[in-house]
């Protein structure tokens, strides 16, 4: 799958180069405190340029990663052939469908099974992290970076209070101040970002931390929270905290651009 280019470089080399460039850019922004200097003349324009380059690098990086490792991409490529011979005795043979082309979904599963045979522990971990990385948006990467030192951030759910004082339907889940701390581009999407990061196992949801009382009060004035409050007659705020999970810490250690 690592096709050679005319200059002798393969797709894997290009991925590594793009990853280094993305890491250098993110590392520079973190070191210079880019998100904290927005009031300086010209910084806002410069930040937009950095964000644009960052998005382009991440998009291209994901495309190259897909070409190198995505089993479905490999299956679609293989499906164009009439037959696919087994490379080694241990690999899974792809059975052609009725039209003499390998079915992409079945072929993709065969690719994964083949990977499971040849992967060692470190290669399997690298592949797992690459799959996670492909699913992250730039804003989610910023949130994970803000959480990476282990600090907890407040989170609240906005729920409808029932007549007996219990909790009814949830109108907003996982609103948090971590988005502003991370300098995300879409602050109104922070609840969704946090929910996705929890779903990926990178972030844990925990009980309320009383020492964060001031931050909870700030969070309750957040525009997204206030808007959700308008959709219920009697709102109740369920307080929690979020922090990086064990998997999230391991993933960040492997991907942290400042360590590259």
């Amino acid at each position: 799958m690592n096709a050679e280019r005319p200059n002798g470089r393969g797709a894997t080399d290009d991925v590594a180069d793009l990853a280094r460039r993305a890491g250098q850019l993110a590392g520079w922004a973190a070191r210079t405190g880019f998100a904290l200097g927005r009031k300086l003349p010209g910084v806002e324009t410069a930040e937009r340029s950095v964000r644009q380059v960052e998005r382009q690098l991440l998009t291209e990086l994901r495309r190259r990663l897909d070409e190198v490792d995505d089993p479905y991409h490999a299956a679609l490529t293989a499906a164009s052939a009439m037959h696919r011979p087994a490379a080694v005795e241990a690999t899974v043979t792809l059975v052609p469908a009725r039209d003499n082309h390998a079915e992409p979904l079945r072929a993709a599963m065969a690719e994964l099974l083949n990977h499971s045979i040849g992967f060692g522990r470190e290669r399997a971990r690298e592949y797992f992290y690459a799959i996670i990385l492909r699913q992250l948006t730039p804003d989610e990467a910023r949130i994970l970076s803000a959480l990476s030192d282990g600090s907890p951030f407040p989170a609240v759910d906005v729920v409808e209070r029932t007549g007996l004082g219990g909790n009814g339907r949830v109108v907003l889940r996982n609103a948090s101040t971590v988005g502003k701390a991370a300098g995300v581009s879409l602050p109104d999407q922070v609840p969704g970002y946090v929910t996705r990061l929890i779903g990926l196992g990178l972030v844990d949801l925990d009980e309320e931390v009383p020492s964060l009382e001031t931050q909870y009060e700030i969070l309750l004035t957040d525009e997204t929270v206030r808007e959700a409050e308008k959709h219920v007659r009697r709102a109740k705020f369920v307080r929690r905290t979020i922090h990086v999970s064990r998997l999230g810490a391991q993933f960040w250690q492997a991907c942290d651009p400042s360590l590259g």
Side-chain angles (χ1 to χ4, degrees), residues 3-189:
E4 289 294 332
R5 306 286 174 94
N7 61 3
R9 289 173 56 87
T12 303
D13 296 319
D14 290 342
V15 168
D17 183 56
L18 282 165
R20 280 193 295 271
R21 289 167 61 197
Q24 289 168 357
L25 178 67
W28 171 81
R31 287 192 300 273
T32 56
F34 216 71
L36 300 180
R38 293 176 179 173
K39 294 183 179 180
L40 296 176
V43 168
E44 185 176 352
T45 301
E47 182 178 15
R48 284 198 298 269
S49 298
V50 170
R51 291 287 183 90
Q52 182 178 5
V53 173
E54 180 186 58
R55 283 193 294 270
Q56 290 172 345
L57 284 172
L58 286 170
T59 299
E60 180 65 9
L61 176 58
R62 286 197 182 92
R63 187 182 70 80
R64 296 289 176 81
L65 281 169
D66 286 343
E67 290 179 357
V68 172
D69 278 328
D70 192 331
Y72 192 73
H73 175 86
L76 288 174
T77 302
S80 62
M82 296 292 288
H83 299 282
R84 177 180 176 180
V88 294
E89 185 177 351
T91 60
V92 178
T93 302
L94 303 184
V95 180
R98 293 179 183 178
D99 61 356
N100 291 325
H101 289 269
E103 297 180 44
L105 290 176
R106 300 182 191 282
M109 179 58 73
E111 284 286 331
L112 288 174
L113 292 173
N114 289 339
H115 282 325
S116 72
I117 295 169
F119 277 7
R121 184 181 181 87
E122 291 305 315
R123 184 69 184 94
R125 181 182 292 109
E126 180 184 346
Y127 188 92
F128 176 48
Y129 289 164
I131 293 295
I132 293 175
L133 181 62
R134 286 190 205 123
Q135 299 179 67
L136 296 181
T137 68
D139 275 352
E140 289 166 348
R142 285 178 174 271
I143 289 174
L144 191 60
S145 175
L147 293 169
S148 64
D149 64 357
S151 300
F153 280 81
V156 300
D157 294 347
V158 181
V159 303
E160 188 172 31
R161 189 188 300 272
T162 65
L164 299 177
N167 296 341
R169 64 189 178 97
V170 179
V171 294
L172 181 66
R173 195 182 300 277
N174 300 324
S176 177
T177 58
V178 70
K180 289 184 178 179
V184 299
S185 298
L186 300 175
D188 59 317
Q189 296 301 318

Side-chain angles (χ1 to χ4, degrees), residues 193-203:
Y193 292 151
V194 172
T195 300
R196 274 174 39 85
L197 289 170
I198 292 172
L200 288 170
L202 302 176
V203 171

Side-chain angles (χ1 to χ4, degrees), residues 153-158 172 174-180 190-191 212-226 229 237-241:
F153 280 81
V156 300
D157 294 347
V158 181
L172 181 66
N174 300 324
S176 177
T177 58
V178 70
K180 289 184 178 179
V190 169
L212 298 177
E213 177 62 30
T214 300
Q215 291 193 48
Y216 281 113
E217 293 299 326
I218 293 173
L219 179 56
L220 295 183
T221 66
D222 182 86
E223 184 178 345
T224 305
V225 175
R226 298 296 296 273
E229 189 179 357
F237 304 101
V238 181
R239 297 185 178 191
R240 295 192 176 92
T241 57

